[in-house]
Every structure is written in C-alpha cells, then in structure tokens.
Amino acid sequence: MEQKPYKAVGKAVRKKDSMQLLLGRPVYTDDITPRDALAVKILRSPHANAIVQEINTAVAKKVPGVVDIYTWEDVPQTRFAIAGQTFPEPSPYDRLILDRHVRFSGDAVAIIAAETEKAALKAMKLIKVKYQVLEAVLDFRTAKDSATLVHPEEDWEPPCEVGGDNRRNLVASGSSGDGDVDGVLADCDLVIDRTYHTRAFNQAMMEPFITYTELDRYGRLHVISSTQIVFHTRRILSRALGIPKSRIRVEKPRIGGGFGAKQTAVCEVYPAFVTLKTGRPAKITYTREEAQIAGSPRHEMEIRVRLGADQDGKIRALDLYTLSNTGAYGEHGPTTVGLSGHKSIPLYSGSLEAYRFSYDVVYTNHQAAGAYRGYGATQGIFAVESAVNELAERLGMDPTVLRDRNMVREGMVMPAYYGELANACALDRCMEHCRQIFGWEEKYPVRDMGDGKVRAAGVAMAMQGSGISGVDVGSATVKLSEDGTYNLIIGAADMGTGCDTILAQMVAEFMECEVDDVAVFGADTDASPYDSGSYASSTTYITGKAVEKACTQLKSRLCAIAAEMLGCSAEEMIFEGDLVRRSSTGQTVSLTDIAYRTQAGSLTAAEATATHSSPVSPPPFMVGMVEIELDRLTGLVTILDYKAVVDCGIPINPALARIQAEGGIVQGIGHTLMENVTYNASGLPIESSFMQYKLPTRLDMGRLQVEFEQSYEPTGPFGAKSIGEIVINTPAPAIAHAIYRATGVWHRELPITPEAIAMADRQE
C-alpha cells in the first residue's frame, strides 16, 4: 500500500535519552536514589530442596550497623506470583517472601537490613541455619509425577485454569490442533521425528536487578525500580505485603537492559518489606552472581518435532510436544510454552493439512525461569526450523526453495496462530531479498578451505507477535503546553529499545510538529495512564495505537477550543500544526493562545488520554542466513557473515529497528555457540559469573547486515508491527544447519560448543 511521505515517522531520529547516556549523566536507579538507604542483602540456601528447621540470628544481629534480620516467621503468609502479567495472572501463586521450604540452591532464607553493605555481608556469615535436606528434582524429564513434590503445600493456588497440578509437579499442560495429524503423517512419504533441547540462558543485562524503596511524605510506599512492569509490580507488592494498591507508587528511571528479565518482579519485595518494617529507605542491588543464580532465565525446553512431507517437499503435518522446565516457581511457565508451538508451526501455513501442539510445564528444584526475549518462540523455532532443514537435506533440496513451497503468505489464515489472518506478510520477499544480499547460490555449497577448515551456510525463518491479542493494553496522554509544545505521558517502559523516541515520533507526525517538541514521561503508576508494560513486543503496536487515538482526540479538542474563541462551530476549524484555521474566513488561532485559553474559565482541557487493545497480534517475519568457518580439528565455529531481512510492517525508526535486530542476532549467536547453564550436584548453576558464562563480543559476530521488507499492517500505527523479539529467533537453527553442512552431524542441543562438535560421532 502506497503511503504519503511522512515528516517524522520512518526517519532515523536520535534517541531522546542519547546525550544523557553518552555524557554519563545520572539516569539509572542507582544514580538517582539516595546513598544512605539501608543496604538489603539476602541469605540464600545452599540446598536445592530443604526445610529450614532452625535459624539463629542472635549473633548476626549484634554486628554493628545491622538494623534487623527477617526470617520466614516474620513475613506475611499469603502466596503470590512475581510474573509481570495481566490480571488474573496465568502463573500460580506459589511464592512467599521468605518460605521455610526452600526450593532451589539460591532461594531466599533471610533478609538482612543494615546501615552498610559491609555490615550486612558480615552478618550474613554469622547466621546459623539448620536444614532438613530433602531429595531434589533436578532432571526435568523425570519431574512430572515424581514422588518428590516441589510444591506440596496446601495453599498452592492457580488463579487461572491452565492444566496445572502441584501434586504432579505440573505448572501447566494442554493440547491443541487442527486436522487428523496421525492420519496425514501415516500418508506422508517422509517423516522427520527429532527431539531438540535448549538450555536456560541468562539475559545478562548490564544493569542487574535493583530496587529502592521509601515511605513518601504521605506514608505511602514509593518504589523506584529497574522494571519493565510498573503497574504489575504494584499489584504484586500489594498482594505479597498485604497493603492496598493505593498505598503503593512504582516508577522506573532509565533501565540498563532487561530483555524480559525485568518483566518479573525478582527483587522488589525485599526492600519494600524492609521499608515497611523499619520506616526507612532501603535498597537492594543484586550482584552478578545473584543475577545468574537467582534471576529469571529462559525456560529450558525439550521439544519433540514430528514433521510429515511428500517427496516433492510439501510439508503436510507438524506435531510438536514441548516439555518446559519452569524451575522452583511457576512464573511465566504457563505462557512461555505456548509460543514454542504457536509461533513456529504457523510459518508453514501455506501447506499444512494438520497440526498438533501439546505441552507440559514442570517444576524442578532449579532457579525459577521467566521471560526472555523471544519468550518460548526461540526454543520452538530452533526445533521446527532445524527439522525443516533436516527434511531439506533428506530430500536433497535447497532449503530456501523448500520454504518457498510451504511458507505462509499474505492473505492466508494461520490455524496454528489462533486462526488469525496474515494481513501483512512479506516473508516471501524477505527470503528472496536475503538470498540476494547473502549470495546464497555461491555460499550454500560446502567449501573446503584447507588446513582442516570448512565453510558452510545455513538458513532459518521466524515469526513472533505484536502484543498479546485480546489482553495487552496500552495508554497514552498527550498534553498541549503553553509554548505550543507537547507532553507525552506513557506507562510503557523504555528499556533501551527507544520506545520513548518512537512514540514521540508518532506524536510529532500526528500533531505536525518536531520530535524535539514532544517531551516524554514514563513510567509511574501515580502519573502514567495504565499500560500493561513493555513486553511481548507490544509497545510500538499497542501503545503506538493509543498515541494515535490520543492525538486524534486532542486535535478535535484543540479545534473545539479555537472555535469557542472565534465564536463558530468546531466543524469549521482545521488543524494545521502550529495553528488552527477557520476555513470560511481564514482566521487563525495559535496553539499558544489555545493553551492559555484553557487556563482561564475553560471547560475543555487541551489534553487527551486514550487506551488501545487489539483482538489480533500481527506477526512480524524474518529470514536469517549465516556463513560460518568451522575448524574440524578443534570444533571452533567462526561467524563470517550474517544477513537478515525483517518484515516489521512499516519501521517507525529504521535506525532503532536495525539496532534491535543486530542486538537480537548477537544474543542468538551467543545462545547457539557459547552461553550455557549447567548445575553442580546440589543444583547450583556453575556459570555464576561472566568468567564462566561466556557472552559474545563484537569479535564473535562477523559481518552483520540487516535489511527490511515493508508490509502494511492495517491494525497498527502507520502500518507498523513489532520487531523487539523476533530478531533473536533465527541464529540457532541457521547456525546448527551450517554446522551440519560442514560436519555431517546434526546438533540438536544448545549450545553447540567446540567440544561438542569436535567429539561428535560422525555416524547418526
């Protein structure tokens, strides 16, 4: 669809906060909160599953500077969930602030509040705890119906029916499908039946979990936190602490990275509890070790794929079963698992005759998993795209041609994606564009470079969503100031993604002003209109549409005020950016005059608030291609070239969209080749620092090029869809494919380390 040229939208506008960040100004939670707050530290369990029999804090409390130490006997006994999700939460209420039953190595045993961190750490060493160590469930494959229950308590509560049963170690289970899967599979020429395994990768954001709390001048709990979910955090704290939401204010400053980790209220309850008990400000800052062992990593999943196809490459049936490891607590467990099937199977809506998707989400005595960019789609796409690449190799067919024959295209219904219609889908053009810029015909053949080094290429497709259909809510307030500029007030959280800038660009486009004339504020539960928060790739699509609605309403109000000033009807007034004109006479009223008019005897405010929710979640699409060089002697994989083409509708800010894509691809490379979470005998993650948990650097990503194929999504603002999460989904299957091409061995478990490659049996 041809669009008029835009003034602000579609331009590479500099981020609103860029200069503050570049100059090192105080913008993050630790920068802007007082230094004299009580230091809050957590004593953590060394055992994966145990009962606290005795805890002696008498000696520890005598340490100079220690204010108090709290145990399970001091906290409220109402169970809650810390997943940042819309009420009623799908995640079970299975947590206490401190529980006598500790369920993973790293679980909270006691809260220490002291004048200094040094005093708190000294006291921590003096607390004496006697544990009754219980048998732990450390293998998620045997967790379901295990004799050992992770949550045997009677007050375990599921707010929503999602197929969970704590007496079976089940957080959720379910099944959906369309058509006769078994019948179609039996009729197929080829059936690929494979199982894939992905680890519990950590978000490893630069700023760890951090929260400051105080009582404000009205005695309300004021929370300043690095969080993506201010409104959900308020609700979580209300239930956990047993105080009304009206007594809680939550705000977030700049966020030093989240990637989904901060869609979970990992640490907020601890300083909040201390502040309520002592009446004093409190602050908790997780160490990197705490963020690694007691954070909110990606769900470990094992996915069995059965794929049926004909000899000509038509994919006729897909059958997925996902087993997801939620860890010791169920936050995000019931929801992440759905994306493993519903965001992978629909890629092949062009040919599928039948599909089935079933899953179980199980408790184990590992640290609780949570939200991570891609949110389950990453795991499912690795499995399905790898199976499709295996099919291509079995058929001796170019994998890009195989996808051309089966992929979803614009106008198609996607049964496995809740029956939604692909209104805007440029996946076919993404594939062709990527083939061209990558040089697929030249790079796909395996090339022996000598000295044991081989070059090969791989490919994958991906899709995601744009918010949670029928659930997510975005809101925006747009206000006219006396000088003719605007204030945009939002509840969405900019966590480095640039949503403040993107939403300001939309205001500038609608109100025909400069982006610099739009000041953005957010997010604060006292001042912002309600917003579900920044997750599920929802902000541009959902909150952006709320901005559009608010600006449309504001224009009408400004015309009405101007008409009142000129003594005519509002229908005669035309909004023209910096003024409003009367069409019949040419008389004009400036925005400044309108603003001042509303301050003296006016009954109409020069502001508008709008809310938006969408019954659909239009998927962005993507194709990624990678060229690697593999050393067959050492197993070392070097990324030489990664090309990606993304369909995110109309990019509002192409520069920020490209940065999003590049960052997600690098994260995906890390998951595939080096990031790993393994456990010692007591269930403690071994990779507890960046010395062990290896992250990709600029040297590990090779040449990286991201391009866009535009489609126009009619339900999105300016035709936009999302981009935040999809970009992490293609590296794993594409790199695994390239490794197979180079070695003849399929690696179906992530990460694919040099050791795994070098030691792999050449015979499958």
Side-chain angles (χ1 to χ4, degrees):
M1 180 182 295
E2 187 175 346
Q3 298 294 311
K4 70 173 184 178
Y6 293 126
K7 180 180 178 182
V9 165
K11 304 295 191 295
V13 176
R14 190 172 69 185
K15 285 177 65 177
K16 283 282 185 182
D17 58 358
S18 59
M19 292 307 296
Q20 293 293 96
L21 298 175
L22 182 64
L23 297 173
R25 303 299 188 203
V27 295
Y28 299 106
T29 300
D30 195 47
D31 298 331
I32 67 170
T33 52
R35 299 285 176 180
D36 59 352
L38 292 176
V40 178
K41 287 293 180 181
I42 307 298
L43 174 68
R44 300 187 180 277
S45 168
H47 306 293
N49 195 16
I51 302 293
V52 177
Q53 291 183 314
E54 297 176 14
I55 182 164
N56 188 331
T57 61
V59 175
K61 284 183 178 181
K62 294 178 181 178
V63 172
V66 170
V67 174
D68 212 341
I69 299 173
Y70 307 100
T71 71
W72 63 273
E73 295 179 294
D74 303 308
V75 301
Q77 295 300 302
T78 300
R79 294 198 179 270
F80 61 98
I82 61 172
Q85 297 176 290
T86 301
F87 183 84
E89 299 97 325
S91 302
Y93 293 150
D94 55 10
R95 281 184 177 266
L96 295 175
I97 299 172
L98 295 172
D99 200 333
R100 189 177 187 181
H101 186 172
V102 287
R103 293 173 170 83
F104 70 96
S105 184
D107 208 351
V109 175
I111 303 170
I112 305 156
E115 301 290 352
T116 65
E117 182 177 345
K118 183 177 180 180
L121 292 174
K122 184 176 181 180
M124 186 184 297
K125 296 177 182 178
L126 298 174
I127 300 173
K128 302 299 181 183
V129 186
K130 181 180 179 181
Y131 297 95
Q132 177 191 353
V133 180
L134 307 174
E135 184 177 350
V137 181
L138 298 177
D139 183 353
F140 76 124
R141 298 175 184 88
T142 62
K144 181 179 175 181
D145 294 323
S146 168
T148 300
L149 296 180
V150 178
H151 281 275
E153 65 270 14
E154 295 296 329
D155 56 349
W156 182 88
E157 180 187 344
C160 295
E161 178 49 54
V162 292
D165 184 347
N166 63 317
R167 294 292 168 179
R168 303 182 63 199
N169 282 335
L170 270 180
V171 174
S173 62
S175 183
S176 61
D178 184 60
D180 181 5
V181 171
D182 294 323
V184 175
L185 285 173
D187 190 48
C188 288
D189 297 328
L190 284 170
V191 174
I192 303 292
D193 188 342
R194 298 287 185 260
T195 299
Y196 302 87
H197 178 216
T198 62
R199 299 281 187 175
F201 306 114
N202 274 289
Q203 295 87 347
M205 59 279 176
M206 292 182 69
E207 179 195 37
F209 303 99
I210 178 171
T211 298
Y212 167 87
T213 58
E214 64 182 3
L215 296 179
D216 69 12
R217 57 189 178 275
Y218 301 108
R220 299 168 71 226
L221 178 65
H222 180 202
V223 180
I224 302 175
S225 184
S226 183
T227 178
Q228 302 169 219
I229 46 159
V230 292
F231 286 98
H232 295 329
T233 296
R234 181 178 65 177
R235 186 187 69 246
I236 291 165
L237 291 176
S238 173
R239 179 176 174 88
L241 299 169
I243 61 176
K245 298 178 188 67
S246 59
R247 283 190 55 202
I248 305 172
R249 174 191 176 192
V250 181
E251 64 170 310
K252 69 96 195 166
R254 293 290 92 183
I255 299 176
F259 310 116
K262 295 169 183 175
Q263 193 195 336
T264 302
V266 171
C267 69
E268 285 84 350
V269 72
Y270 303 120
F273 178 75
V274 168
T275 290
L276 290 182
K277 295 291 282 188
T278 65
R280 296 181 57 182
K283 184 189 291 188
I284 190 168
T285 304
Y286 272 33
T287 63
R288 182 57 59 184
E289 180 180 7
E290 286 181 298
Q292 290 291 109
I293 69 167
S296 184
R298 188 183 295 284
H299 286 74
E300 178 185 21
M301 291 187 187
E302 187 172 83
I303 302 171
R304 182 186 178 189
V305 180
R306 290 200 301 158
L307 181 155
D310 285 347
Q311 201 65 45
D312 63 359
K314 180 185 178 184
I315 298 174
R316 298 177 57 195
L318 271 168
D319 184 12
L320 257 69
Y321 169 72
T322 300
L323 179 64
S324 178
N325 180 4
T326 197
Y329 300 97
E331 50 258 22
H332 297 284
T335 42
T336 48
V337 71
L339 275 66
S340 68
H342 294 303
K343 300 287 173 70
S344 59
I345 299 170
L347 283 166
Y348 297 94
S349 297
S351 61
L352 279 185
E353 298 170 28
Y355 84 90
R356 179 168 54 215
F357 170 47
S358 54
Y359 57 84
D360 289 311
V361 183
V362 294
Y363 282 118
T364 63
N365 292 115
H366 289 146
Q367 71 169 314
Y372 192 161
R373 189 182 207 167
Y375 203 79
T378 310
Q379 297 95 311
I381 287 171
F382 167 61
V384 170
E385 287 299 280
S386 292
V388 171
N389 283 331
E390 293 200 37
L391 173 65
E393 296 296 334
R394 286 271 298 273
L395 293 172
M397 183 180 293
D398 184 317
T400 68
V401 174
L402 177 63
R403 287 173 169 83
D404 284 338
R405 295 182 182 180
N406 294 281
M407 69 172 62
V408 61
R409 295 173 187 264
E410 193 160 285
M412 289 183 177
V413 174
M414 299 174 283
Y417 192 59
Y418 315 106
E420 285 194 23
L421 179 69
N423 283 319
C425 176
L427 183 57
D428 52 348
R429 288 185 277 123
C430 289
M431 180 65 75
E432 183 55 36
H433 190 164
C434 203
R435 266 193 291 248
Q436 292 176 5
I437 63 174
F438 183 76
W440 179 257
E441 297 295 334
E442 298 78 33
K443 291 181 179 177
Y444 181 57
V446 177
R447 289 145 287 150
D448 191 328
M449 308 304 292
D451 199 26
K453 293 182 171 59
V454 180
R455 292 189 178 183
V459 62
M461 304 190 307
M463 62 177 282
Q464 195 75 35
S466 299
I468 305 172
S469 58
V471 174
D472 281 348
V473 171
S475 301
T477 297
V478 184
K479 300 167 57 175
L480 176 67
S481 297
E482 297 98 315
D483 59 356
T485 61
Y486 296 93
N487 291 88
L488 171 63
I489 305 167
I490 57 174
D494 191 328
M495 48 184 165
T497 53
C499 79
D500 286 0
T501 307
I502 289 166
L503 297 174
Q505 286 179 256
M506 294 183 189
V507 173
E509 193 66 50
F510 281 115
M511 305 311 294
E512 301 175 34
C513 66
E514 299 297 324
V515 177
D516 287 344
D517 291 336
V518 183
V520 184
F521 174 83
D524 186 324
T525 56
D526 271 13
S528 301
Y530 176 80
D531 195 292
S532 301
S534 295
Y535 59 87
S537 302
S538 63
T539 307
T540 295
Y541 177 73
I542 298 290
T543 307
K545 202 68 177 177
V547 167
E548 176 184 319
K549 289 180 176 180
C551 288
T552 301
Q553 292 176 22
L554 181 56
K555 282 184 180 181
S556 297
R557 291 189 178 186
L558 298 182
C559 287
I561 297 167
E564 180 183 317
M565 296 169 69
L566 296 179
C568 64
S569 68
E571 288 71 23
E572 292 185 62
M573 307 308 296
I574 302 171
F575 181 85
E576 295 184 355
D578 58 351
L579 54 83
V580 177
R581 183 183 303 276
R582 185 178 181 182
S583 58
S584 59
T585 65
Q587 293 171 283
T588 63
V589 181
S590 71
L591 292 186
T592 299
D593 288 341
I594 292 173
Y596 280 118
R597 175 69 181 89
T598 63
Q599 297 178 357
S602 175
L603 298 178
T604 305
E607 64 179 69
T609 299
T611 297
H612 181 70
S613 186
S614 176
V616 295
S617 176
F621 297 95
M622 177 179 178
V623 172
M625 295 180 180
V626 65
E627 180 187 22
I628 67 167
E629 183 171 274
L630 186 144
D631 188 323
R632 293 179 65 93
L633 179 63
T634 65
L636 179 67
V637 173
T638 302
I639 305 294
L640 300 178
D641 195 15
Y642 203 104
K643 297 287 194 291
V645 181
V646 186
D647 162 25
C648 59
I650 304 296
I652 303 298
N653 187 319
L656 295 183
R658 183 168 281 107
I659 289 168
Q660 283 276 296
E662 291 172 352
I665 289 168
V666 174
Q667 282 183 310
I669 290 170
H671 291 177
T672 309
L673 295 178
M674 61 192 71
E675 295 182 49
N676 203 0
V677 174
T678 56
Y679 298 89
N680 64 17
S682 63
L684 184 71
I686 295 171
E687 295 80 10
S688 58
S689 78
F690 287 163
M691 292 295 290
Q692 296 87 20
Y693 191 80
K694 301 301 183 183
L695 295 167
T697 70
R698 181 62 186 86
L699 299 177
D700 299 306
M701 56 190 280
R703 296 185 301 272
L704 191 57
Q705 181 180 352
V706 176
E707 300 292 338
F708 299 96
E709 276 292 335
Q710 294 188 1
S711 62
Y712 185 87
E713 174 51 52
T715 65
F718 300 99
K721 300 186 288 187
S722 76
I723 194 172
E725 293 183 275
I726 184 176
V727 291
I728 202 172
N729 293 336
T730 59
I735 294 170
H737 184 204
I739 291 171
Y740 166 78
R741 297 281 295 169
T743 64
V745 177
W746 286 108
H747 290 267
R748 303 185 182 97
E749 182 176 66
L750 298 182
I752 310 171
T753 61
E755 293 85 350
I757 295 170
M759 298 175 66
D761 185 358
R762 306 287 183 204
Q763 302 297 320
E764 286 197 273

